[in-house]
Amino acid sequence: MPQPSNQPDFSLGANGLLPAIAQDVSSGKVLMLAWMNQEAYLETVSSGYATYFSRSRNTLWRKGEESGHRQRVVEIRIDCDADTILVVVEQTGAACHEGYASCFFRVLKSDNYTVDQPQVVDPHSVYKADSSSHRPTNSG
Amino acid sequence: MPQPSNQPDFSLGANGLLPAIAQDVSSGKVLMLAWMNQEAYLETVSSGYATYFSRSRNTLWRKGEESGHRQRVVEIRIDCDADTILVVVEQTGAACHEGYASCFFRVLKSDNYTVDQPQVVDPHSVYKADSSSHRPTNSG
């Protein structure tokens, strides 16, 4: 069996992108899943703040650059296959562009997904009204 | 802005596959990331045990079917875009085929990834020697 790389192996991801999970260091909540290419990963490591690759905008996405809801990196992990990244972060504000602490604010109850988390910030207060078309989603 | 689906939207994933994160209900650890197609998702919901789609074997992967290290579903969440699934589970044994509780057993320290978790089971005791070529990895 080939030994996995001791670094994230971006050649394993479609278009050089690997899934990156952000987890809150305080609550343990899984906050979001986004994507990193090597450039985003290296910037995450060097800057100490989570940086993703926005697939919709086809560019680096410095999480919180507009909203201020940055993610300070506490630790970075890779999985056994070196094809998924886990970033443990200190989240400012809300990870989710809809104002929830986590993007996973809906839970399955009797065949339907129901919101069971409070909004911690008003999403309208975060993004300027005229920039809504540029508002990043969790997957960029 | 289009409203996200109130069910996982498998049309959003390449080849109908969405990333699925498994999180341990007791420890809060992120255990692994794998992939689900609609069939795997529906079986996860109906059986109450995490079922993924193995990209390498191109078939459903009933996690723990061989090893016994099954994942009993406690709750299922979807993210704001309905394109990522979070399965909170009760993990039997070890999630990782390498014998670690979590696949994310390596952490970045000074430019290198270092194992900082104990193996909780002997991986050689889990899989039969003659079946190692069929041993699932975390991403299937």
Side-chain angles (χ1 to χ4, degrees):
Chain A
M1 197 169 82
Q3 288 303 302
S5 166
N6 197 33
Q7 295 288 332
D9 188 347
F10 291 95
S11 74
L12 297 173
N15 304 314
L17 296 173
L18 295 182
I21 302 163
Q23 182 178 29
D24 190 281
V25 69
S26 304
S27 67
K29 280 188 183 189
V30 175
L31 297 175
M32 54 185 279
L33 181 137
W35 301 85
M36 287 188 186
N37 61 3
Q38 188 156 36
E39 186 183 2
Y41 170 74
L42 291 175
E43 182 166 318
T44 297
V45 172
S46 63
S47 71
Y49 286 90
T51 302
Y52 304 102
F53 183 83
S54 166
R55 296 181 299 173
S56 57
R57 289 174 291 146
N58 202 39
T59 186
L60 285 192
W61 167 28
R62 296 178 180 90
K63 170 74 178 165
E65 193 171 42
E66 186 187 350
S67 65
H69 292 177
R70 299 201 301 173
Q71 299 178 329
R72 190 180 68 78
V73 173
V74 177
E75 63 181 29
I76 304 180
R77 293 179 173 276
I78 52 174
D79 73 348
C80 44
D81 294 332
D83 64 0
T84 303
I85 298 162
L86 173 62
V87 189
V88 180
V89 301
E90 187 180 84
Q91 173 75 55
T92 300
C96 184
H97 69 293
E98 294 194 32
Y100 298 93
S102 160
C103 293
F104 297 94
F105 56 83
R106 289 182 289 172
V107 66
L108 184 61
K109 300 271 188 203
S110 313
D111 299 337
N112 273 299
Y113 283 87
T114 306
V115 174
D116 72 341
Q117 308 283 316
Q119 280 178 309
V120 295
V121 302
D122 176 0
H124 298 103
S125 73
V126 175
Y127 301 100
K128 296 186 232 28
D130 63 357
S131 68
S132 61
S133 62
H134 300 100
R135 186 168 60 182
T137 67
N138 79 308
S139 56
Chain B
M1 198 168 79
Q3 287 303 301
S5 164
N6 197 33
Q7 295 289 331
D9 188 347
F10 292 95
S11 73
L12 296 173
N15 303 313
L17 296 172
L18 295 183
I21 302 162
Q23 183 178 29
D24 189 281
V25 68
S26 303
S27 67
K29 280 189 183 188
V30 176
L31 298 174
M32 55 184 280
L33 181 138
W35 301 84
M36 287 185 185
N37 61 3
Q38 187 156 38
E39 186 184 2
Y41 169 75
L42 291 174
E43 182 166 319
T44 297
V45 172
S46 64
S47 71
Y49 287 91
T51 302
Y52 304 102
F53 183 83
S54 166
R55 297 180 299 173
S56 58
R57 290 174 291 144
N58 201 39
T59 185
L60 283 193
W61 168 27
R62 296 177 180 90
K63 171 74 178 165
E65 192 170 41
E66 188 187 349
S67 66
H69 293 178
R70 299 201 300 174
Q71 298 178 330
R72 190 179 69 78
V73 173
V74 177
E75 62 180 31
I76 304 180
R77 295 180 172 275
I78 53 172
D79 73 348
C80 44
D81 294 332
D83 64 0
T84 303
I85 298 162
L86 173 62
V87 190
V88 180
V89 301
E90 188 179 82
Q91 173 75 55
T92 300
C96 184
H97 69 293
E98 295 194 30
Y100 298 92
S102 160
C103 293
F104 296 94
F105 55 83
R106 289 182 290 172
V107 67
L108 184 62
K109 299 272 188 201
S110 313
D111 298 338
N112 274 298
Y113 282 88
T114 306
V115 174
D116 72 340
Q117 308 282 316
Q119 279 177 310
V120 294
V121 302
D122 175 1
H124 298 101
S125 74
V126 175
Y127 300 99
K128 297 187 237 15
D130 63 355
S131 68
S132 60
S133 63
H134 301 101
R135 188 168 58 182
T137 66
N138 78 309
S139 55

